[in-house]
Amino acid sequence: MTKLLFPALALALMATSVFAQDARYQNQNDDNTHYGWADVLRVDPVYGVARTEVPRQECYDQPVVRSAPSQGSAAGTLLGAVVGGVLGSTVGKGDGRTAATVAGAVAGGAVGNNVSRSGGGEYQTTETHCRQVSAVSEQRRIMGYDVEYRYRGEVYLSRLNYDPGERLRVRVSVSPAD
Protein backbone atom coordinates (compact mmCIF):
# COMPACT_ATOMS: atom_id res chain seq x y z
CA MET A 1 0.00 0.00 0.00
CA THR A 2 2.82 2.46 0.84
CA LYS A 3 4.48 1.54 -2.45
CA LEU A 4 1.45 2.90 -4.31
CA LEU A 5 0.88 5.88 -2.00
CA PHE A 6 4.36 7.43 -2.46
CA PRO A 7 4.26 7.68 -6.31
CA ALA A 8 0.68 9.00 -6.19
CA LEU A 9 1.66 11.66 -3.64
CA ALA A 10 4.70 12.70 -5.71
CA LEU A 11 2.54 12.97 -8.83
CA ALA A 12 -0.06 15.07 -6.97
CA LEU A 13 2.63 17.46 -5.69
CA MET A 14 4.11 17.90 -9.18
CA ALA A 15 0.67 18.56 -10.68
CA THR A 16 -0.12 21.10 -7.96
CA SER A 17 3.12 23.02 -8.54
CA VAL A 18 2.43 23.23 -12.27
CA PHE A 19 -1.05 24.68 -11.73
CA ALA A 20 0.22 27.11 -9.11
CA GLN A 21 2.41 28.83 -11.71
CA ASP A 22 1.16 32.19 -12.93
CA ALA A 23 1.54 33.24 -16.58
CA ARG A 24 2.88 36.66 -15.52
CA TYR A 25 6.02 35.05 -14.07
CA GLN A 26 8.61 33.33 -16.19
CA ASN A 27 10.36 30.19 -15.01
CA GLN A 28 13.90 30.89 -14.01
CA ASN A 29 16.36 28.12 -13.30
CA ASP A 30 18.04 30.04 -10.46
CA ASP A 31 18.36 27.87 -7.36
CA ASN A 32 18.48 31.00 -5.14
CA THR A 33 15.00 32.15 -6.24
CA HIS A 34 11.67 30.95 -4.93
CA TYR A 35 8.08 32.24 -4.95
CA GLY A 36 5.76 33.18 -2.14
CA TRP A 37 2.49 34.98 -1.48
CA ALA A 38 2.16 38.46 0.05
CA ASP A 39 -0.95 40.04 1.52
CA VAL A 40 -2.02 43.20 -0.35
CA LEU A 41 -2.61 46.08 2.05
CA ARG A 42 -3.57 48.88 -0.37
CA VAL A 43 -4.00 49.42 -4.13
CA ASP A 44 -4.04 52.98 -5.50
CA PRO A 45 -4.72 53.56 -9.21
CA VAL A 46 -2.21 55.84 -10.97
CA TYR A 47 -3.91 58.10 -13.52
CA GLY A 48 -2.44 59.70 -16.60
CA VAL A 49 -3.73 61.70 -19.55
CA ALA A 50 -3.83 60.05 -22.97
CA ARG A 51 -4.03 62.48 -25.91
CA THR A 52 -5.37 61.48 -29.30
CA GLU A 53 -5.96 63.56 -32.43
CA VAL A 54 -9.50 63.15 -33.69
CA PRO A 55 -10.42 64.43 -37.19
CA ARG A 56 -13.90 65.86 -37.58
CA GLN A 57 -15.87 67.76 -40.20
CA GLU A 58 -16.92 71.35 -39.51
CA CYS A 59 -19.79 72.73 -41.65
CA TYR A 60 -21.51 76.11 -41.92
CA ASP A 61 -24.28 77.63 -44.08
CA GLN A 62 -23.50 80.71 -46.19
CA PRO A 63 -26.23 82.84 -47.88
CA VAL A 64 -25.82 83.34 -51.65
CA VAL A 65 -27.80 85.25 -54.34
CA ARG A 66 -28.52 83.39 -57.55
CA SER A 67 -30.15 84.28 -60.86
CA ALA A 68 -33.11 82.23 -61.92
CA PRO A 69 -32.45 80.41 -65.18
CA SER A 70 -34.10 82.11 -68.15
CA GLN A 71 -36.62 80.10 -70.05
CA GLY A 72 -37.69 81.46 -73.43
CA SER A 73 -41.28 80.51 -74.06
CA ALA A 74 -43.07 80.08 -77.36
CA ALA A 75 -46.11 81.80 -75.84
CA GLY A 76 -44.15 85.01 -75.29
CA THR A 77 -42.82 84.97 -78.86
CA LEU A 78 -46.27 84.22 -80.29
CA LEU A 79 -47.99 86.89 -78.20
CA GLY A 80 -45.35 89.45 -79.22
CA ALA A 81 -45.78 88.57 -82.90
CA VAL A 82 -49.57 88.97 -82.72
CA VAL A 83 -49.34 92.32 -80.92
CA GLY A 84 -46.64 93.50 -83.33
CA GLY A 85 -48.68 92.38 -86.34
CA VAL A 86 -51.81 94.19 -85.09
CA LEU A 87 -49.83 97.38 -84.48
CA GLY A 88 -48.09 97.05 -87.88
CA SER A 89 -51.42 96.66 -89.67
CA THR A 90 -52.53 100.06 -88.41
CA VAL A 91 -49.70 101.74 -90.30
CA GLY A 92 -49.84 102.38 -94.06
CA LYS A 93 -52.21 101.36 -96.83
CA GLY A 94 -52.21 98.60 -99.43
CA ASP A 95 -48.90 96.72 -99.89
CA GLY A 96 -47.30 99.03 -97.32
CA ARG A 97 -49.78 97.84 -94.76
CA THR A 98 -48.89 94.19 -95.49
CA ALA A 99 -45.18 94.96 -95.18
CA ALA A 100 -45.78 96.87 -91.91
CA THR A 101 -47.85 93.98 -90.55
CA VAL A 102 -45.06 91.48 -91.32
CA ALA A 103 -42.38 93.81 -89.90
CA GLY A 104 -44.50 94.43 -86.80
CA ALA A 105 -45.04 90.71 -86.29
CA VAL A 106 -41.28 89.97 -86.58
CA ALA A 107 -40.35 92.84 -84.26
CA GLY A 108 -43.11 91.95 -81.79
CA GLY A 109 -42.05 88.30 -81.76
CA ALA A 110 -38.43 89.27 -81.00
CA VAL A 111 -39.52 91.60 -78.18
CA GLY A 112 -41.91 89.00 -76.74
CA ASN A 113 -39.18 86.31 -76.78
CA ASN A 114 -36.72 88.67 -75.03
CA VAL A 115 -39.25 89.61 -72.35
CA SER A 116 -40.09 85.96 -71.63
CA ARG A 117 -36.37 85.12 -71.22
CA SER A 118 -35.53 87.90 -68.80
CA GLY A 119 -38.43 87.17 -66.50
CA GLY A 120 -36.41 84.78 -64.20
CA GLY A 121 -35.06 87.32 -61.70
CA GLU A 122 -32.83 86.68 -58.67
CA TYR A 123 -33.40 84.69 -55.49
CA GLN A 124 -31.52 84.09 -52.23
CA THR A 125 -30.56 80.63 -50.94
CA THR A 126 -27.90 79.05 -48.70
CA GLU A 127 -24.94 76.82 -49.53
CA THR A 128 -23.35 74.45 -47.03
CA HIS A 129 -19.54 74.55 -46.91
CA CYS A 130 -17.54 71.90 -45.00
CA ARG A 131 -13.88 71.44 -44.05
CA GLN A 132 -11.81 68.89 -42.16
CA VAL A 133 -10.36 70.02 -38.82
CA SER A 134 -8.42 68.12 -36.17
CA ALA A 135 -9.30 68.23 -32.51
CA VAL A 136 -7.17 66.89 -29.67
CA SER A 137 -9.06 64.64 -27.29
CA GLU A 138 -7.71 64.14 -23.78
CA GLN A 139 -8.86 61.21 -21.69
CA ARG A 140 -7.94 60.37 -18.13
CA ARG A 141 -6.88 56.72 -17.93
CA ILE A 142 -5.44 54.35 -15.36
CA MET A 143 -1.76 53.89 -16.25
CA GLY A 144 -0.88 51.49 -13.42
CA TYR A 145 -1.36 50.70 -9.74
CA ASP A 146 0.73 51.53 -6.67
CA VAL A 147 0.49 48.38 -4.55
CA GLU A 148 1.47 48.18 -0.89
CA TYR A 149 1.91 44.60 0.35
CA ARG A 150 3.30 42.66 3.34
CA TYR A 151 5.62 39.67 2.92
CA ARG A 152 6.91 37.93 6.08
CA GLY A 153 6.24 40.95 8.28
CA GLU A 154 7.94 43.50 5.98
CA VAL A 155 5.93 46.09 4.01
CA TYR A 156 6.85 46.80 0.36
CA LEU A 157 5.57 49.15 -2.34
CA SER A 158 5.61 48.39 -6.08
CA ARG A 159 4.00 49.86 -9.19
CA LEU A 160 2.21 47.23 -11.26
CA ASN A 161 0.30 47.39 -14.52
CA TYR A 162 -2.58 45.36 -13.07
CA ASP A 163 -4.65 45.27 -9.87
CA PRO A 164 -3.43 42.14 -8.01
CA GLY A 165 -6.48 41.67 -5.78
CA GLU A 166 -6.09 40.52 -2.17
CA ARG A 167 -2.90 38.47 -2.62
CA LEU A 168 0.20 39.00 -4.70
CA ARG A 169 2.62 36.37 -5.85
CA VAL A 170 6.20 37.53 -5.18
CA ARG A 171 9.57 36.24 -6.34
CA VAL A 172 12.15 36.03 -3.57
CA SER A 173 15.82 35.98 -4.52
CA VAL A 174 18.59 35.37 -2.01
CA SER A 175 22.23 36.24 -2.64
CA PRO A 176 25.30 36.92 -0.45
CA ALA A 177 25.62 40.47 0.88
CA ASP A 178 29.39 40.70 0.18
Side-chain angles (χ1 to χ4, degrees):
M1 178 82 165
T2 40
K3 289 183 183 182
L4 292 175
L5 185 59
F6 181 70
L9 183 59
L11 184 60
L13 287 174
M14 287 183 359
T16 304
S17 66
V18 170
F19 289 115
Q21 293 293 326
D22 194 328
R24 292 182 290 240
Y25 300 98
Q26 296 182 6
N27 278 339
Q28 295 185 3
N29 294 330
D30 187 2
D31 291 335
N32 293 333
T33 301
H34 66 277
Y35 295 95
W37 290 96
D39 293 323
V40 174
L41 304 174
R42 191 179 81 226
V43 177
D44 295 322
V46 177
Y47 292 95
V49 176
R51 291 185 175 100
T52 55
E53 190 171 319
V54 179
R56 64 181 175 87
Q57 194 173 40
E58 188 176 86
C59 298
Y60 60 95
D61 289 335
Q62 181 175 4
V64 292
V65 177
R66 297 198 184 254
S67 297
S70 61
Q71 299 176 358
S73 85
T77 304
L78 186 61
L79 183 62
V82 169
V83 170
V86 169
L87 288 176
S89 68
T90 62
V91 177
K93 293 189 182 196
D95 288 337
R97 181 180 279 178
T98 304
T101 301
V102 170
V106 170
V111 169
N113 188 22
N114 193 21
V115 167
S116 70
R117 282 190 185 186
S118 65
E122 293 181 340
Y123 65 95
Q124 186 170 354
T125 185
T126 58
E127 284 183 351
T128 301
H129 296 275
C130 296
R131 63 184 178 144
Q132 287 290 110
V133 295
S134 291
V136 175
S137 171
E138 293 184 351
Q139 294 178 338
R140 188 174 179 214
R141 293 186 180 170
I142 295 176
M143 303 304 232
Y145 297 88
D146 285 339
V147 180
E148 185 177 322
Y149 54 97
R150 180 179 298 129
Y151 178 72
R152 292 199 173 177
E154 296 289 324
V155 176
Y156 300 92
L157 182 66
S158 295
R159 181 164 289 175
L160 304 175
N161 60 358
Y162 62 95
D163 184 343
E166 294 180 8
R167 294 187 52 167
L168 175 65
R169 188 160 186 238
V170 294
R171 184 180 56 196
V172 180
S173 178
V174 179
S175 59
D178 299 353

